[in-house]
Amino acid sequence: EAALSVPDKKVDSVCPYCGVGCQLTYNVKDNKILYVEGRDGPANHGRLCVKGRYGFDYAHHPHRLTKPLIRREGMPKTGDFKMDPDRVMDVFREATWEEALEVAGGKLARIRDTFGKRSLAGFGSAKGSNEEAYLFQKLVRTGFGSNNVDHCTRLCHASSVAALLEGIGSGAVSNPVMDVTLADVVIVIGANPTVNHPVAATWIKNAIKHGTKLVVCDPRKSDLARSAHRYLQFKPDTDVALLNAMMHVIVSEGLVDADFISSRTIGYAELEQNVAGYSPELMAPICGIDADTIRYVARLYATSKASMILWGMGISQHIHGTDNARCLIALALMTGQIGRPGTGLHPLRGQNNVQGASDAGLIPMMFPDYQRVDNPAAHAKFEKAWGMKLDDKPGLTVVEIMDAILRREVRGMYIMGENPAMSDPDANHARESLAALDHLVVQDIFLTETCYLADVILPASAFPEKTGSFTNTDRLVQIGRQAINPPGDAKQDLWIIQQMAHKLGLDWQYGHVSEVFDEMRHTMPSIGGITWERLEREHAVTYPCAVEGDPGQSVVFTETFPRESGRARFVPADIIPANERPDAEYPMVLITGRQLEHWHTGSMTRRATVLDAIEPDPVALVHPLDLSAMGGKPGDVITIESRRGTVTLYARADDSSPRGAIFVPFCYYEAAINKLTNAALDPYGKIPEFKYCAIRVALGGTV
Ligand code: SF4
């Protein structure tokens, strides 16, 4: 019916979901989105996946928060609950914006003044715009007075970024996804693009049709594996064994690019020495891939004219995630497969703006553009730019903040557009921490699980209700344009952040979003040449773009690496086992991730009519033989338990998971799987081990 209506306006924007950054057009009538069409953007050329095409009507859902809410006096903060919007007015009361902001910001200011600047922390959002991310981190750094600011990049690619910054001096991709069409060989490892970056997967499939050889390496047999030239189903948690064995072959067979190594890198001798102990024969029983296949794939990658590596959370979400990424970087460097079209390293970014939010400084150790807070020159630069004294000590990361709350070191938080009660590892612990705060302010569009633990809830704007810039996985800065107005008294996020800033003593007077962007580009050399007018005109500009008129570089590292020496650095890695291995009590392995129709904690897509109709219930993907071994059948209810928590959900027979491993998406509040996950951290990226923990499974329970 909606599709048959005639829109009264069309608004060009981008998709609010994944990092591919598809451009789309909202077709709007009477402040309602009727339907969405793809348009000819650099990343999608008209294509959209099911989320981009059908995941829009969450914005009109009756659950939208339309008034500021304040927790009623004496209402306990429970750490475990079923999301029930009908209960909301038992727990909260409506308030005016004036009162809500006074309580929200006023109490944070009092905590800061009583307990010190590091007693506050903030989580920004990878769903918000670059301008929102920039203002949010600026608020924490100048209004709270510390660097205790982070966001969900900590939970996805923090380890990849740590390895990339260390090895090649830049945390972003070297080549756009579309370069797969120029590659002879593409390795996709620890990623499931068909589900998580669906339009990117279509470009990979197109490349295969034109002769590109695809190698998929993953413990789970993804849909893309069916199109692969070779599929390597290595054992969970054995990435370093497999990758070091490949490097061993490349070294021992003389397939390295000696010129590239000598002219563009440092540290090769240590790497060579390290991989000498990782022969394919030794590693085959560990990783589960036979030595001949390891040799074949290593030769294929090293000797092709152009080889590219794309990876995802399967690489990064381990306590050895940084080591995993170090191995991928070393593979590219030793073979010279970087710095040209169709080569390079591409960590597939998850959220639509996780790249931009990280670039904008929504991380505790970096000012905007990855300028370290403890670097005296960067510190002086931002003190001058923002006109006040700044903390030069790196702040706490997502999981560290949760622990600091229970130690009473962090007492107040401001969370914008993130849902740590669902997305953090060991979610029962995270909920306990959030409930223990003296004061929690949450800014969101729905009553998320995190909102249940808030003292003040500020109703914000959905993606199509505001204008801002967003940076996709390819380093493309694009404009998302306002198509509809927020409902009721909900406000745009930039306005809310500014009001909070006023309560914390900052005199901010940003008018149009372009004023924020303009300030950003003057503190961030990578986007220095991008003007708002140009974004308006061209819709998308790639960075690095140092000066106005610069076309922007889609392929980087062509001549040099952005490290002090100009050279990339090899960093060897050794095998480190998962923090929690299966044992007699908990004999199986839990792997968490996403599914095609739902996005992250589900707050948007589970309220999108079509998407919810396709995947309405919480499911666990269980190997059919494991399911029948426990006496079950598809559709049966199972209960999964780890040392940290229990969930009950429906079993779906799925032979993509290896035997002994169960895959569960983290989007279902009824079965919040992060109650089970392990908060053990990678020491460099501080990313938790979402991809591996020990569980036991039994038939039965109540969903
Ligand atoms: Fe949106 Fe990603 Fe799908 Fe494109 S591929 S439509 S950006 S979810």
Side-chain angles (χ1 to χ4, degrees):
E1 186 192 330
L4 294 175
S5 301
V6 179
D8 51 30
K9 67 174 175 178
K10 288 174 174 278
V11 180
D12 288 343
S13 190
V14 290
C15 174
Y17 291 108
C18 90
V20 174
C22 297
Q23 292 190 1
L24 51 74
T25 299
Y26 289 117
N27 289 270
V28 179
K29 186 177 174 61
D30 300 332
N31 203 40
K32 204 159 182 189
I33 300 167
L34 300 176
Y35 57 96
V36 165
E37 295 169 296
R39 67 191 167 103
D40 190 14
N44 66 316
H45 295 293
R47 298 178 185 184
L48 293 176
C49 78
V50 68
K51 288 190 286 285
R53 194 171 297 283
Y54 296 110
F56 61 87
D57 61 344
Y58 72 92
H60 306 303
H61 197 280
H63 287 176
R64 280 294 299 274
L65 294 168
T66 58
K67 296 251 187 229
L69 300 172
I70 295 178
R71 179 173 290 274
R72 290 183 188 278
E73 199 70 35
M75 284 305 297
K77 295 181 178 179
T78 56
D80 199 8
F81 43 78
K82 292 281 182 191
M83 185 171 61
D84 178 3
D86 297 336
R87 267 186 49 199
V88 64
M89 297 320 291
D90 296 342
V91 181
F92 297 97
R93 64 175 174 83
E94 291 182 353
T96 62
W97 270 103
E98 200 178 16
E99 183 192 10
L101 288 166
E102 183 55 41
V103 175
K107 181 137 190 207
L108 288 177
R110 285 194 291 283
I111 291 173
R112 175 197 62 192
D113 296 342
T114 308
F115 298 102
K117 294 173 174 178
R118 292 182 187 145
S119 62
L120 298 178
F123 289 167
S125 173
K127 277 258 156 285
S129 66
N130 289 324
E131 296 75 25
E132 289 162 2
Y134 177 85
L135 276 199
F136 191 90
Q137 61 85 36
K138 185 176 173 183
L139 169 68
V140 172
R141 294 194 153 108
T142 60
F144 291 2
S146 81
N147 292 304
N148 285 344
V149 61
D150 209 353
H151 76 295
C152 69
T153 190
R154 194 65 41 209
L155 308 178
C156 63
H157 265 307
S159 48
S160 306
V161 171
L164 288 164
L165 285 171
E166 166 194 72
I168 59 177
S170 163
V173 301
S174 67
N175 298 57
V177 168
M178 202 64 84
D179 263 25
V180 297
T181 59
L182 306 173
D184 291 338
V185 173
V186 169
I187 292 181
V188 173
I189 180 164
N192 188 353
T194 315
V195 164
N196 298 318
H197 303 84
V199 167
T202 67
W203 299 122
I204 297 172
K205 288 179 182 169
N206 286 162
I208 294 167
K209 279 193 180 153
H210 292 99
T212 299
K213 288 191 166 73
L214 171 69
V215 176
V216 172
C217 308
D218 205 302
R220 296 190 65 237
K221 188 172 184 181
S222 64
D223 177 66
L224 204 54
R226 286 194 264 131
S227 310
H229 174 68
R230 287 287 186 282
Y231 168 51
L232 277 58
Q233 188 168 28
F234 65 96
K235 294 180 190 171
D237 193 43
T238 63
D239 319 59
V240 170
L242 172 65
L243 297 170
N244 273 354
M246 284 174 62
M247 286 191 269
H248 177 102
V249 173
I250 291 167
V251 171
S252 63
E253 298 190 4
L255 304 178
V256 296
D257 183 336
D259 287 345
F260 191 93
I261 291 170
S262 66
S263 63
R264 303 278 313 266
T265 71
I266 56 172
Y268 176 68
E270 292 86 344
L271 189 280
E272 186 183 272
Q273 193 181 14
N274 189 59
V275 299
Y278 286 85
S279 74
E281 285 71 22
L282 271 178
M283 292 303 108
I286 295 173
C287 68
I289 304 298
D290 66 85
D292 285 346
T293 301
I294 294 174
R295 286 186 198 288
Y296 175 80
V297 170
R299 290 172 191 147
L300 190 71
Y301 174 79
T303 59
S304 99
K305 284 207 198 86
S307 295
M308 188 169 171
I309 302 173
L310 299 98
W311 75 92
M313 314 286 97
I315 284 290
S316 59
Q317 290 176 334
H318 289 278
I319 59 161
H320 48 78
T322 303
D323 281 340
N324 292 348
R326 284 170 172 157
C327 291
L328 297 176
I329 294 164
L331 262 176
L333 295 177
M334 66 165 38
T335 52
Q337 296 286 17
I338 189 165
R340 291 172 281 119
T343 67
L345 297 161
H346 192 115
L348 285 154
R349 297 305 169 136
Q351 297 252 23
N352 62 333
N353 200 38
V354 70
Q355 182 65 58
S358 302
D359 298 343
L362 214 52
I363 37 184
M365 56 294 281
M366 313 280 190
F367 290 126
D369 241 2
Y370 307 95
Q371 301 171 74
R372 284 198 65 93
V373 297
D374 50 7
N375 174 306
H379 189 258
K381 171 183 167 174
F382 280 93
E383 283 198 338
K384 186 167 173 221
W386 294 340
M388 53 198 308
K389 284 271 167 221
L390 300 173
D391 192 355
D392 61 1
K393 181 176 179 245
L396 299 171
T397 59
V398 166
V399 176
E400 289 173 334
I401 287 170
M402 293 301 159
D403 293 336
I405 293 169
L406 293 181
R407 294 194 304 270
R408 303 292 287 152
E409 290 167 18
V410 169
R411 291 167 176 260
M413 280 196 78
Y414 177 19
I415 298 177
M416 175 184 77
E418 289 221 335
N419 192 7
M422 282 287 287
S423 60
D424 272 24
D426 192 2
N428 285 326
H429 170 75
R431 292 173 183 194
E432 189 191 336
S433 294
L434 293 168
L437 284 164
D438 292 351
H439 189 55
L440 173 60
V441 180
V442 180
Q443 176 175 323
D444 215 308
I445 63 172
F446 293 114
L447 191 77
T448 63
E449 293 70 18
T450 302
C451 285
Y452 263 75
L453 303 169
D455 295 279
V456 182
I457 302 170
L458 305 175
S461 44
F463 187 92
E465 294 162 2
K466 55 194 176 184
T467 294
S469 69
F470 298 82
T471 306
N472 81 345
T473 189
D474 296 334
R475 292 181 271 105
L476 261 176
V477 186
Q478 312 194 93
I479 288 201
R481 294 182 178 81
Q482 182 175 0
I484 53 176
N485 295 319
D489 288 344
K491 296 281 190 192
Q492 296 202 338
D493 295 76
L494 273 188
W495 181 87
I496 304 172
I497 299 168
Q498 286 206 71
Q499 300 309 308
M500 289 289 285
H502 296 165
K503 298 293 175 195
L504 286 149
L506 300 166
D507 180 26
W508 288 0
Q509 300 298 336
Y510 296 97
H512 192 262
V513 59
S514 60
E515 293 173 25
V516 184
F517 184 81
D518 206 47
E519 180 176 314
M520 290 174 66
R521 78 186 191 93
H522 284 103
T523 60
M524 297 172 62
S526 66
I527 59 167
I530 305 177
T531 63
W532 189 262
E533 294 69 33
R534 183 172 171 194
L535 282 178
E536 292 262 32
R537 194 171 60 246
E538 297 180 16
H539 304 280
V541 182
T542 303
Y543 80 75
C545 177
V547 292
E548 287 182 36
D550 183 341
Q553 277 177 267
S554 61
V555 177
V556 290
F557 318 137
T558 52
E559 305 289 336
T560 183
F561 291 97
R563 298 184 75 249
E564 214 173 331
S565 62
R567 290 166 176 259
R569 178 181 161 207
F570 288 98
V571 182
D574 283 311
I575 295 172
I576 298 170
N579 177 266
E580 185 185 58
R581 306 280 302 171
D583 54 21
E585 225 183 326
Y586 296 91
M588 297 184 82
V589 171
L590 172 68
I591 303 174
T592 64
R594 302 194 299 247
Q595 60 184 171
L596 173 62
E597 291 79 8
H598 288 305
W599 187 256
H600 281 206
T601 68
S603 58
M604 292 159 67
T605 51
R606 294 200 74 196
R607 293 178 172 98
T609 315
V610 171
L611 302 178
D612 189 49
I614 300 173
E615 282 285 9
D617 296 315
V619 289
L621 276 50
V622 187
H623 194 285
L625 295 176
D626 285 338
L627 190 56
S628 63
M630 66 178 90
K633 59 182 187 315
D636 280 354
V637 172
I638 58 172
T639 295
I640 309 178
E641 193 181 348
S642 80
R643 288 184 173 83
R644 294 158 292 280
T646 305
V647 298
T648 304
L649 68 183
Y650 298 100
R652 178 176 292 171
D654 181 275
D655 62 5
S656 63
S657 298
R659 287 209 64 180
I662 290 187
F663 177 85
V664 183
F666 67 100
C667 57
Y668 292 103
Y669 66 87
E670 315 91 311
I673 197 63
N674 276 322
K675 289 179 180 177
L676 278 61
T677 49
N678 187 357
L681 299 181
D682 170 285
Y684 307 98
K686 308 281 179 77
I687 191 169
E689 194 151 58
F690 286 117
K691 289 291 188 240
Y692 201 103
C693 74
I695 53 168
R696 60 186 173 212
V697 185
L699 278 181
T702 308
V703 179

